């Protein structure tokens, strides 16, 4: 089906829904690189006018990536919940935007809608929204998950403690973990990006984190962010695995480039559940997966099928949603300026990703980050993390000094989380909050206390003694 629209004296035509979606997208370098971006602001406006009139039902009838050729498309269509979709089934994309911004779209109503929204619908409506619209609606979407604590409750922000080390040195990891805990970080997960793929070395990292969590009764979970097949092997060898990690993308071909498919994710999900390590809720049905995504991943694998990168990103959320993860996050500026050129594009992409994930019922966090060759800086990241925290962000990263010495990119620090808590009044996961108070790391108001060099965490983790 073709689409036509006039803007002033100019007339524009689009060959199908895929082209309308791509050209309605706010400008970003990845879509320009793929040759699918609007050529002018007028063409972008024409595409948005067309998109606003598209019935939501069209996205169930006109697949952007062929059903027969792509298992992600089959997942989206085959698991679509018609009953959940029914309250908005009569709407157009523009009508959905208006409804989402209305008082009728309460948190309770939106929670019932999650399974009825496809990623293409979420991406489409986001293209018609201003930044403030994305923030307002995402803030109304509450997605709560549980493992050893409860994540995603309104008014709370969790932090992934990220103690990466370029050689996986246990002492370096322990010191970074100590640093984060003493700043009140780590309630989302203590998650290490390993430098090695050596299975014995990976298992050592799992044991290191399990020892710290177990010895001090920390109500949090650990994760080694290695390939899912390594984690399956580690589980088979008896490693103390809490969460299974994997990067995922929005097309079958892109996931193949990652060395995964839906079957291997299902195998990993079942293996992690079999360990029954969760302590909050029923361990047999706990949230045991952790996924990362990023705009541009499908394009970088030449696996985007002509679909714009933001819609491909939303399709990755359908993959993640199918396995009920504890955590998922967009690594928004990590892939580089070829896909998100500058701070403006990174900020917009972060807000889009958070909105789409939350609207689909995903516990979405964000690695608010940029690479050193992007046209962005820490001021841009301050803006994005403040906007996302206002929008109800599930979690963000806590990296010592905000500079990841293993992955060589700029992220957010333990101090950034303290700033957000102070300015916006955001609290930690309730179980972790109580533990910090018990350990005398925070005061009853949740503020960080000074600690002496004899604090038991410092003594156990072998860090250099601090002045009393």
């Amino acid at each position: 089906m073709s689409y036509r629209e006039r803007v002033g004296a100019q007339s524009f035509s689009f060959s199908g829904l895929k082209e309308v979606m791509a050209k309605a997208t706010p400008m970003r370098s990845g879509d320009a690189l793929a040759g699918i971006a609007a050529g002018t602001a007028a063409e972008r406006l024409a595409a948005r006018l067309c998109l606003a009139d598209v019935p939501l039902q069209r996205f169930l009838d006109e697949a952007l990536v062929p059903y027969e050729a792509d298992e992600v498309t089959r997942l989206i269509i085959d698991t679509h919940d018609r009953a959940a979709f029914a309250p908005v089934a009569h709407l157009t994309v523009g009508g959905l935007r208006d409804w989402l911004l209305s008082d009728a779209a309460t948190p309770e109503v939106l929670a019932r809608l999650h399974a009825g929204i496809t990623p293409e619908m979420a991406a489409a409506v986001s293209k018609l929204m201003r930044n403030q619209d994305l923030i307002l609606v995402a803030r109304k979407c509450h997605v709560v998950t549980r493992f050893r604590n409860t994540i995603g409750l309104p008014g709370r922000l969790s932090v992934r403690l990220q103690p990466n080390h370029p050689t996986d040195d246990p002492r370096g990891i322990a010191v970074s973990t100590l640093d984060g805990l003493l700043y009140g970080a780590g309630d989302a997960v203590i998650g290490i990006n390993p430098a090695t793929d050596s299975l014995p070395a990976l298992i050592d990292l799992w044991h290191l984190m399990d020892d710290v969590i177990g010895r001090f009764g920390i109500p949090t979970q650990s994760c080694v962010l290695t390939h899912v097949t390594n984690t399956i092997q580690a589980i088979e060898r008896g490693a103390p695995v809490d969460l299974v990690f994997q990067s995922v993308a929005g097309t079958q071909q892109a996931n193949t480039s990652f060395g995964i498919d839906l079957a291997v994710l299902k195998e990993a999900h079942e293996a992690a559940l079999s360990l029954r390590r969760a302590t909050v809720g029923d361990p047999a049905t706990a949230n045991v997966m952790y996924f990362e995504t990023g705009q541009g991943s499908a394009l970088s694998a030449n696996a985007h099928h002509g679909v714009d990168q933001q819609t491909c990103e939303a399709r990755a959320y359908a993959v993640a949603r199918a396995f009920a993860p504890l955590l998922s996050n967009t690594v928004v500026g990590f892939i580089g300026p070829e896909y998100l050129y500058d701070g403006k594009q990174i900020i917009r992409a972060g807000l889009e990703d958070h909105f789409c994930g939350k609207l689909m019922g995903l516990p979405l966090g964000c690695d608010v980050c940029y690479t050193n060759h992007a046209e962005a800086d820490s001021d841009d990241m301050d803006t994005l993390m403040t906007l996302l925290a206002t929008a109800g962000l599930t979690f963000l990263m806590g990296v010592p000094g905000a500079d990841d010495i293993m992955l060589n990119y700029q992220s957010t620090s333990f101090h950034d989380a303290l700033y957000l808590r102070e300015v916006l009044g955001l609290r930690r996961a309730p179980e972790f909050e109580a533990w910090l108070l018990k350990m005398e790391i925070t005061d009853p108001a949740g503020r960080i206390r000074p600690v002496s060099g004899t604090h038991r965490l410092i003594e156990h983790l072998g860090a250099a003694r601090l002045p009393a």
Side-chain angles (χ1 to χ4, degrees):
M1 178 178 176
S2 62
Y3 299 81
R4 296 180 183 276
E5 187 63 56
R6 291 186 64 85
V7 175
Q10 293 180 282
S11 179
F12 297 91
S13 62
F14 307 100
S15 60
L17 187 54
K18 184 190 300 187
E19 185 178 6
V20 170
M21 291 278 281
K23 295 195 171 178
T25 306
M27 179 59 191
R28 60 207 53 193
S29 53
D31 290 338
L33 179 66
I36 60 175
T40 65
E43 185 180 26
R44 184 172 297 109
L45 177 57
R48 288 178 179 172
L49 290 171
C50 287
L51 185 58
D53 290 335
V54 173
L56 294 179
Q57 179 63 40
R58 182 73 50 75
F59 293 98
L60 299 173
D61 300 332
E62 185 177 339
L64 303 189
V65 182
Y67 180 93
E68 299 76 14
D70 188 271
E71 69 172 0
V72 177
T73 300
R74 293 194 291 274
L75 172 71
I76 292 166
I77 299 301
D78 294 348
T79 62
H80 181 247
D81 189 329
R82 290 277 182 174
F85 178 58
V88 297
H90 63 289
L91 296 175
T92 62
V93 176
L96 177 62
R97 173 191 178 274
D98 293 344
W99 180 81
L100 289 171
L101 293 169
S102 75
D103 292 339
T106 64
E108 296 74 21
V109 170
L110 290 173
R112 294 193 293 269
L113 181 67
H114 293 328
I117 295 293
T118 70
E120 290 83 0
M121 294 174 193
V125 74
S126 76
K127 298 176 193 300
L128 305 183
M129 300 177 105
R130 295 174 58 183
N131 287 358
Q132 64 174 255
D133 300 336
L134 298 172
I135 292 167
L136 176 61
V137 178
R139 187 175 177 85
K140 296 192 289 184
C141 297
H142 303 156
V143 183
V144 179
T145 57
R146 298 170 177 84
F147 190 84
R148 288 201 187 94
N149 57 25
T150 307
I151 295 171
L153 293 169
R156 297 182 184 264
L157 172 71
S158 294
V159 177
R160 170 185 159 191
L161 203 172
Q162 188 169 313
N164 294 345
H165 192 278
T167 63
D168 292 336
D169 179 69
R171 182 176 173 84
I173 290 170
V175 170
S176 292
T177 301
L178 170 67
D179 190 25
L181 291 172
L182 293 180
Y183 276 109
D187 52 341
V189 64
I190 302 175
I192 301 172
N193 294 94
T196 181
D197 277 333
S198 163
L199 196 57
L202 295 172
I203 291 175
D204 286 344
L205 293 178
W206 268 299
H207 281 289
L208 169 65
M209 292 185 291
D210 188 58
D211 173 67
V212 173
I213 290 171
R215 183 179 295 255
F216 292 99
I218 308 174
T220 191
Q221 36 283 327
S222 69
C223 186
V224 176
L225 282 72
T226 187
H227 194 271
V228 64
T229 54
N230 290 333
T231 307
I232 292 172
Q233 291 182 67
I235 291 173
E236 292 170 347
R237 297 191 186 188
V241 173
D242 290 341
L243 305 183
V244 175
F245 169 81
Q246 183 55 47
S247 294
V248 295
T251 69
Q252 179 178 336
Q253 187 179 347
N255 284 325
T256 298
S257 76
F258 290 165
I260 62 166
D261 57 19
L262 297 179
V264 75
L265 295 178
K266 183 174 185 291
E267 179 185 356
H269 183 239
E270 292 172 351
L273 283 175
S274 72
L275 300 179
R276 295 177 176 251
R277 292 177 58 83
T279 58
V280 177
D282 183 355
T285 58
N287 305 113
V288 295
M289 304 296 283
Y290 177 15
F291 294 111
E292 282 190 345
T293 63
Q295 285 197 29
S297 59
L299 175 58
S300 67
N302 194 28
H304 59 102
H305 299 271
V307 177
D308 67 273
Q309 68 181 39
Q310 189 245 336
T311 301
C312 285
E313 171 73 2
R315 284 170 56 92
Y317 302 157
V319 175
R321 180 174 64 178
F323 298 97
L326 180 78
L327 304 167
S328 58
N329 70 265
T330 168
V331 191
V332 68
F334 182 74
I335 301 182
E338 301 86 352
Y339 308 99
L340 295 169
Y341 179 72
D342 57 14
K344 181 179 177 66
Q345 291 187 15
I346 292 172
I347 289 167
R348 174 68 191 191
L351 294 175
E352 289 170 348
D353 293 350
H354 181 249
F355 163 84
C356 289
K358 284 291 188 65
L359 187 62
M360 294 172 60
L362 203 60
L364 204 79
C366 184
D367 190 344
V368 178
C369 63
Y370 65 100
T371 57
N372 289 311
H373 61 307
E375 292 294 322
D377 58 27
S378 57
D379 287 337
D380 295 314
M381 300 306 104
D382 286 350
T383 299
L384 178 55
M385 72 179 182
T386 304
L387 293 174
L388 285 171
T390 303
L393 184 69
T394 302
F395 73 105
L396 80 166
M397 305 299 133
V399 178
D403 184 0
D404 193 305
I405 60 173
M406 199 282 279
L407 293 175
N408 293 311
Y409 76 111
Q410 310 305 311
S411 185
T412 47
S413 72
F414 308 134
H415 301 81
D416 291 328
L418 295 182
Y419 147 74
L420 293 172
R421 298 193 192 289
E422 179 71 20
V423 171
L424 300 175
L426 298 170
R427 300 168 63 182
R428 301 168 180 89
E431 300 87 350
F432 193 79
E433 185 177 71
W435 178 82
L436 290 173
L437 181 62
K438 174 185 173 184
M439 294 291 288
E440 300 182 336
I441 294 172
T442 59
D443 64 20
R447 299 195 178 193
I448 299 299
R449 287 179 168 179
V451 297
S452 72
T454 58
H455 192 282
R456 47 191 158 158
L457 274 176
I458 297 175
E459 289 188 335
H460 174 67
L461 293 176
R465 287 182 173 271
L466 301 176

